[in-house]
Amino acid sequence: MIIGLIGFGKVSRNLFNLIKSDEITFITSTEGRSKSTVHNIEESGIEIFDTFNEVASKSDILVSATSPKSALTVAKECGKYVDGIYLDLNNISPDTTLEIDKHVENLIDGAIIGKIDSDNPILYISGEKSDELLFLDKFITTKKISSNIGDVAILKLLRSAYTKSLSALLIETSQIAENHNLEKEFFDVLTLTEGDDFKEKSVSRIVNTVNNSNRKREELEEIIEYFSDSELIMVKAALEKLNR
């Protein structure tokens, strides 16, 4: 079996490292990649082809893990060369996923949940051909959600709505606690009910949100647009907080 990778960031690199089998060969291309990505590809020992179209045509499973902005373009350009499974792992909206489905045969909607470069992330998949990827459970915990394209994308949005709203609330309450010289005590009392690692995870969440506030705002705006028929009071409040 040949698995082709479009993109060689953390997602693709970790899949390459986790899925180890004499019956599986990974391939990719350095076409249009940055110097640092080319270096990572060459250091990995993965088989390299001249173009991604060639990678697509030779793959039994083609994994797209590039960026949300390029996901649809990649699908339009490379999808027509794929005879096997096309697994999209980009953080995209359900609408974009359904648009990709128009250009790709055998699309599987996927998401890596958990720390991307950890030893135990979980792969969630949906789509009519999802059963054909359940063998990956031997290497990475793999869960089929449904046979419907877009279901995993919806779950990604809902998860994002929760985590980003929670991050906004953490930022607000921790700032108030700091203003009252009670930041340590604030996390101490929450740790009693939320778990011993709550403070560490919360601080990491706050720092990540602040450092990537523009992207977080864009993601919240996308959530609000997609679920426009829902109330979303808390999500809209989180967006307002990040805008400030």
Side-chain angles (χ1 to χ4, degrees):
M1 175 179 289
I2 297 176
I3 299 179
L5 301 175
I6 299 182
F8 206 72
K10 286 184 178 180
V11 172
S12 293
R13 292 203 305 272
N14 206 34
L15 288 177
F16 176 69
N17 291 327
L18 290 174
I19 302 173
K20 295 295 185 183
S21 171
D22 292 337
E23 299 177 354
I24 297 175
T25 298
F26 279 90
I27 63 175
T28 191
S29 175
T30 57
E31 180 185 20
R33 301 297 90 181
S34 66
K35 288 184 179 180
S36 61
T37 301
V38 170
H39 174 75
N40 289 334
I41 290 172
E42 292 174 343
E43 287 288 305
S44 72
I46 191 172
E47 189 172 348
I48 302 171
F49 286 86
D50 291 334
T51 68
F52 283 111
N53 288 346
E54 190 175 6
V55 171
S57 66
K58 293 182 179 297
S59 297
D60 298 302
I61 301 170
L62 184 67
V63 179
S64 174
T66 54
S67 70
K69 290 183 178 180
S70 62
L72 180 56
T73 299
V74 167
K76 288 180 178 179
E77 292 179 353
C78 298
K80 57 190 173 186
Y81 296 99
V82 181
D83 290 327
I85 297 293
Y86 188 102
L87 173 61
D88 192 291
L89 293 179
N90 296 295
N91 188 19
I92 54 179
S93 73
D95 287 336
T96 303
T97 300
L98 293 174
E99 185 65 25
I100 287 175
D101 193 37
K102 298 176 183 178
H103 301 277
V104 172
E105 296 290 335
N106 304 322
L107 174 65
I108 293 180
D109 175 19
I112 300 288
I113 303 298
K115 192 175 180 182
I116 291 174
D117 53 358
S118 70
D119 293 332
N120 57 351
I122 300 176
L123 172 63
Y124 286 88
I125 53 177
S126 67
E128 290 184 4
K129 298 286 186 175
S130 294
D131 287 345
E132 296 186 24
L133 291 190
L134 292 178
F135 77 93
L136 293 174
D137 193 58
K138 293 184 294 184
F139 312 101
I140 173 175
T141 301
T142 303
K143 297 182 180 294
K144 177 182 176 180
I145 298 301
S146 73
S147 297
N148 302 319
I149 292 296
D151 279 359
V152 168
I154 290 173
L155 283 177
K156 282 189 288 188
L157 279 191
L158 290 173
R159 180 178 183 272
S160 184
Y162 170 79
T163 57
K164 289 171 179 60
S165 298
L166 181 59
S167 296
L169 181 60
L170 280 169
I171 290 171
E172 185 166 271
T173 51
S174 62
Q175 284 175 336
I176 295 172
E178 183 179 4
N179 292 340
H180 288 271
N181 296 316
L182 290 171
E183 187 176 16
K184 178 183 181 302
E185 291 77 9
F186 167 72
F187 283 110
D188 285 346
V189 296
L190 287 177
T191 296
L192 294 175
T193 55
E194 304 303 313
D196 293 338
D197 59 352
F198 176 75
K199 180 177 180 179
E200 179 184 356
K201 289 183 177 180
S202 295
V203 171
S204 175
R205 186 187 297 275
I206 290 171
V207 170
N208 180 269
T209 300
V210 171
N211 289 342
N212 299 281
S213 58
N214 289 334
R215 179 169 59 83
K216 303 292 185 183
R217 287 198 298 270
E218 290 174 1
E219 290 173 359
L220 284 174
E221 288 169 350
E222 184 176 47
I223 290 166
I224 291 169
E225 180 180 357
Y226 184 77
F227 295 116
S228 59
D229 57 345
S230 300
E231 203 168 23
L232 297 178
I233 293 173
M234 302 305 293
V235 176
K236 291 175 181 177
L239 176 60
E240 182 181 354
K241 177 65 178 179
L242 291 185
N243 281 333
R244 292 181 181 179

